[in-house]
Amino acid sequence: MARRPLPRILSTGSAQIARSRELARTAADSATDILHPLITVARGLRRLAAAGRLKWAETPKDRRGPLLFLAASVVLVVALVPYGPLLAVVTLMAAAAWQGRDRTPPVPDGPDESQAQRLRSLYEALVPYFSTAEDPAPLYAHGGDWEKAFPEYEFDGSGRVAHLEVHYPAYFPDGEAEPRARVEHLLASKSGRGREYLFDWDEEGNTLTLRVLAPLPTDIAAQRFVTAPGETVLGFTDPSHVLRTLPLGHGEERRDVPPVVWRTGVRSTEPHLLAVGRPGSGTSTLLRSLALQALQYGDVLIVEGGGTGEYACLAGRDGVLGVEVGLAGALAGLEWAAQETERRLIAANQARQEGNPPPDDVKRPLWILLDRPTAFSHLAEAEGREDPQAFLQVPLRHGRAASVTVVVAEQFDNLDALSEAVRQHTRARVVLGPASGRQLEAILGAPAHTTPVDDVPPGRGYARLGAGPVHRLQVPATPDPYDDATSDGHRQAVLDLLPPRSTPADAGALPVPAEAVALPVPAEAVALESS
């Protein structure tokens, strides 16, 4: 069946509209060029009139009469002088033309001497990487033309490179990680240390684009985020890598910031998380932020191996099953968590076999937060007791089906002491604080597209959820409200998010719901011991 041709008005309408727009744009440009002197004089008259009104408003009332008399005398003298009105009009037009001139500074056609010297240094430094002796017409050669290699460039206020487009020869192995890493390290060193650079490799066009990334906001305090159940905000990142924004309160102002959202629950592909950092990097801040968000919909069990009391503000709160700081309490709490996971699986399976929905206590999320669990592993080995990490195998392997989420925070020095189950089942990863490129790739499973820096604020790092991209991350400020070094604003923000206290902080009883005890619970799980 042959198709009928489209009407002519439909097939040629877009072309006619484009030509009409082009003609209108050309006519407007021509009119602007012709009327430019008149526009300049009109702008100058408006500025002179505004200056006159301002001068009249600033003149005291007792002096306005003499000022009017003086102005009238000048007008009378000009009117009586031969050619006076003509000369006055010419003078006024000249003054208006001078006042109405375009005062924007002219844009320089090219870089100044210092900027050209910096670009020339970059070019010379790249010659050993982008040149070969067999190239008959090398793009990079000592003493060559850097303008062909750097078609686009931009500098910041301090004279350092802020944006640079680099063309390189086609024979450069841009598909290999090591040559690319060497070039990125060189450009970051020559362009200025202490900043984060984003490198975008266009392998088809043989082009490398360097951009300086703006620092992530560090003044965002803990607050109620607009998220759905099962969504947790790890922190905030660059707007170019996330399509979603969250409305946040910053004092009396409101602003939208792109978040890194971690989804947990039955349909999550990354149900557990591992956070790694150095001391003071902000891993405890991340766990406090996750605990405050988790308490909105579920229950939380905290195991702290550092023994510093970072989570004392959560002890005895509604939804907090326990804050364990001793080996006995950690063993009892984690053993109960393993048995609770099994109970939930049995209850959910039984409900499905009977054709009923899972019970509410099975669907209620349970979060297990462990801060430096390897400290308990060393202590248990010294005392000849079982490693507390052994009880994490069941929650890690079957926690997604039972609505159990495990979050582990550990330091770089003790990563080898983590159990195989923790390393295998925590596919959501966060690295906070200073870290080398190799450390980031080893933990996240993929290299970061930005250059890490040595001096970063607490809570600053990178995050990767499963097989997704690597995001820059800034954790919201969630300090310990009992710390004297905490600012009043951040302390009050955390206190406002804490649930009411249901039991005394030193009560020492694990709040296990009655309906949650379907499996036998050891006697030591009832008492919480503190070291």
Side-chain angles (χ1 to χ4, degrees):
M1 180 178 178
R3 295 183 179 180
R4 298 179 59 184
L6 293 174
R8 181 176 180 84
I9 186 173
L10 296 179
S11 59
T12 61
S14 59
Q16 292 178 356
I17 293 174
R19 286 196 297 270
S20 300
R21 291 177 178 175
E22 186 65 26
L23 291 175
R25 190 180 296 109
T26 304
D29 294 341
S30 301
T32 303
D33 294 338
I34 295 174
L35 300 177
H36 181 70
L38 183 60
I39 295 174
T40 302
V41 172
R43 188 190 304 121
L45 291 175
R46 185 173 66 253
R47 292 176 180 175
L48 290 176
R53 286 194 300 268
L54 180 62
K55 184 66 177 177
W56 178 260
E58 294 177 352
T59 303
K61 293 184 178 180
D62 56 343
R63 296 185 182 181
R64 292 182 179 180
L67 182 61
L68 286 175
F69 180 76
L70 178 60
S73 301
V74 172
V75 172
L76 180 61
V77 171
V78 171
L80 296 177
V81 172
Y83 304 103
L86 179 60
L87 293 176
V89 171
V90 172
T91 304
L92 179 62
M93 293 297 103
W98 177 258
Q99 290 293 331
R101 72 189 188 278
D102 189 6
R103 300 180 181 181
T104 57
V107 179
D109 296 336
D112 56 21
E113 184 60 30
S114 61
Q115 295 173 353
Q117 180 61 34
R118 184 179 290 271
L119 292 176
R120 194 176 299 111
S121 300
L122 282 174
Y123 176 83
E124 293 291 336
L126 290 173
V127 169
Y129 300 91
F130 290 153
S131 64
T132 181
E134 292 80 9
D135 192 350
L139 178 62
Y140 288 83
H142 291 292
D145 186 8
W146 60 266
E147 295 182 356
K148 295 181 180 179
F150 306 148
E152 294 183 8
Y153 46 84
E154 184 179 345
F155 293 85
D156 57 11
S158 61
R160 296 192 296 178
V161 175
H163 174 81
L164 182 65
E165 182 176 322
V166 180
H167 286 181
Y168 57 87
Y171 52 77
F172 177 75
D174 50 6
E176 301 178 8
E178 292 186 2
R180 291 171 59 157
R182 289 195 295 267
V183 172
E184 292 176 1
H185 178 72
L186 173 66
L187 289 175
S189 302
K190 292 293 184 180
S191 300
R193 298 182 182 273
R195 301 185 299 174
E196 287 189 272
Y197 298 93
L198 175 64
F199 297 95
D200 185 10
W201 291 84
D202 182 8
E203 300 179 5
E204 295 181 356
N206 298 325
T207 302
L208 169 61
T209 303
L210 176 148
R211 288 193 298 270
V212 177
L213 297 176
L216 295 176
T218 59
D219 55 350
I220 300 178
Q223 55 191 281
R224 289 295 181 202
F225 302 116
V226 183
T227 56
E231 292 183 345
T232 306
V233 176
L234 297 179
F236 304 93
T237 185
D238 301 300
S240 59
H241 293 79
V242 177
L243 301 179
R244 177 180 176 181
T245 59
L246 287 181
L248 301 179
H250 181 63
E252 297 180 355
E253 301 179 355
R254 304 290 295 180
R255 57 178 174 176
D256 294 335
V257 182
V260 178
V261 178
W262 175 37
R263 292 173 176 85
T264 58
V266 179
R267 292 179 174 83
S268 173
T269 57
E270 304 86 20
H272 309 295
L273 182 139
L274 173 63
V276 183
R278 298 180 182 179
S281 60
T283 53
S284 299
T285 298
L286 175 61
L287 261 62
R288 271 191 299 269
S289 176
L290 296 179
L292 293 176
Q293 298 180 63
L295 288 173
Q296 189 176 0
Y297 302 105
D299 300 324
V300 174
L301 173 63
I302 301 174
V303 177
E304 180 189 359
T308 57
E310 292 280 348
Y311 308 94
C313 61
L314 296 169
R317 303 283 179 175
D318 287 347
V320 180
L321 303 181
V323 179
E324 307 297 344
V325 295
L327 176 59
L331 288 171
L334 293 179
E335 184 178 359
W336 171 86
Q339 295 182 357
E340 171 65 10
T341 304
E342 295 178 355
R343 183 200 70 82
R344 292 186 174 209
L345 291 175
I346 295 174
N349 185 33
Q350 184 177 359
R352 282 194 296 267
Q353 291 179 359
E354 296 175 355
N356 298 324
D360 293 338
D361 64 306
V362 173
K363 295 188 296 183
R364 182 172 176 83
L366 172 62
W367 288 67
I368 305 173
L369 307 181
L370 300 98
D371 193 352
R372 298 185 61 189
T374 57
F376 290 126
S377 301
H378 297 309
L379 185 60
E381 183 180 1
E383 296 183 4
R385 306 181 69 175
E386 189 174 4
D387 188 355
Q389 296 187 61
F391 296 107
L392 293 177
Q393 293 187 9
V394 174
L396 287 171
R397 293 178 179 178
H398 308 287
R400 179 174 61 179
S403 298
V404 178
T405 301
V406 179
V407 180
V408 179
E410 193 51 77
Q411 298 180 3
F412 281 106
D413 299 338
N414 299 322
L415 285 179
D416 295 338
L418 289 176
S419 64
E420 182 64 25
V422 172
R423 292 195 296 265
Q424 181 179 358
H425 294 282
T426 53
R427 290 188 291 270
R429 300 293 179 89
V430 173
V431 179
L432 298 179
S436 63
R438 292 184 177 180
Q439 288 177 326
L440 291 175
E441 186 174 1
I443 297 173
L444 300 177
H449 296 290
T450 61
T451 54
V453 295
D454 296 333
D455 187 12
V456 294
R460 174 69 179 82
Y462 297 87
R464 189 187 185 208
L465 304 178
V470 179
H471 298 284
R472 288 204 307 165
L473 181 71
Q474 178 62 51
V475 178
T478 316
D480 181 10
Y482 299 157
D483 189 359
D484 296 336
T486 303
S487 64
D488 294 337
H490 290 168
R491 178 185 293 108
Q492 190 60 41
V494 175
L495 293 176
D496 292 342
L497 296 178
L498 289 174
R501 194 182 296 276
S502 58
T503 59
D506 55 351
L510 185 65
V512 182
E515 65 274 8
V517 186
L519 295 176
V521 181
E524 64 267 24
V526 180
L528 297 180
E529 299 181 15
S530 301
S531 60

